[in-house]
Amino acid sequence: QVNLVESGGRVVQAGDSLTLTCDANGDTLRRYSIGWFRQAPGKERESVAAISWNGGSTYYANFVKGRFTISRDGAKNTVYLQLNNLKPEDTAVYYCAVGAYYGVLLPEYWGQGTQVTVSS
């Protein structure tokens, strides 16, 4: 059973920074790669960033390169997404997911999401 719990989403202003956290249960991070997705109102869910199960490879969508950073702490079973220089268009529900990594993450299990709202 995979359980993922996101936290850290809130209302911020453009230019602010934020750290999202995804806590995984058991040995999830030793068995799966993990990534972050987001879904804005009226839009499809899109991949934001991913990191392979051993931390050796990362993926970033072009629209977040240089602004967002994904990292993992295997000892804590936690994955982070550092969001810098936030823009109003980053407003979305952010989800973490685990699955297989092939340069991008193919998700199998999802968390419930955390809302990030960026005001201009």
Side-chain angles (χ1 to χ4, degrees):
Q1 184 75 15
V2 173
N3 188 37
L4 304 170
V5 179
E6 303 96 330
S7 61
R10 59 185 176 91
V11 179
V12 296
Q13 293 190 332
D16 283 354
S17 297
L18 194 62
T19 301
L20 303 182
T21 299
C22 176
D23 291 306
N25 66 314
D27 63 350
T28 296
L29 295 191
R30 286 193 291 275
R31 295 190 289 128
Y32 295 97
S33 296
I34 191 164
W36 289 91
F37 293 74
R38 71 185 187 184
Q39 187 166 19
K43 295 188 176 181
E44 301 218 345
R45 193 171 298 189
E46 59 186 357
S47 179
V48 175
I51 187 166
S52 59
W53 68 274
N54 62 358
S57 298
T58 55
Y59 159 83
Y60 293 99
N62 286 335
F63 53 81
V64 301
K65 280 183 180 178
R67 298 192 298 127
F68 294 5
T69 303
I70 189 170
S71 61
R72 64 194 297 277
D73 185 334
K76 295 182 178 180
N77 288 324
T78 299
V79 174
Y80 306 97
L81 185 67
Q82 176 67 38
L83 299 77
N84 296 325
N85 190 22
L86 281 160
K87 305 175 181 180
E89 53 264 40
D90 294 319
T91 295
V93 178
Y94 284 72
Y95 300 88
C96 72
V98 296
Y101 181 83
Y102 295 102
V104 294
L105 186 76
L106 302 182
E108 297 182 39
Y109 299 97
W110 297 89
Q112 84 289 348
T114 186
Q115 175 72 47
V116 174
T117 303
V118 185
S119 62
S120 57

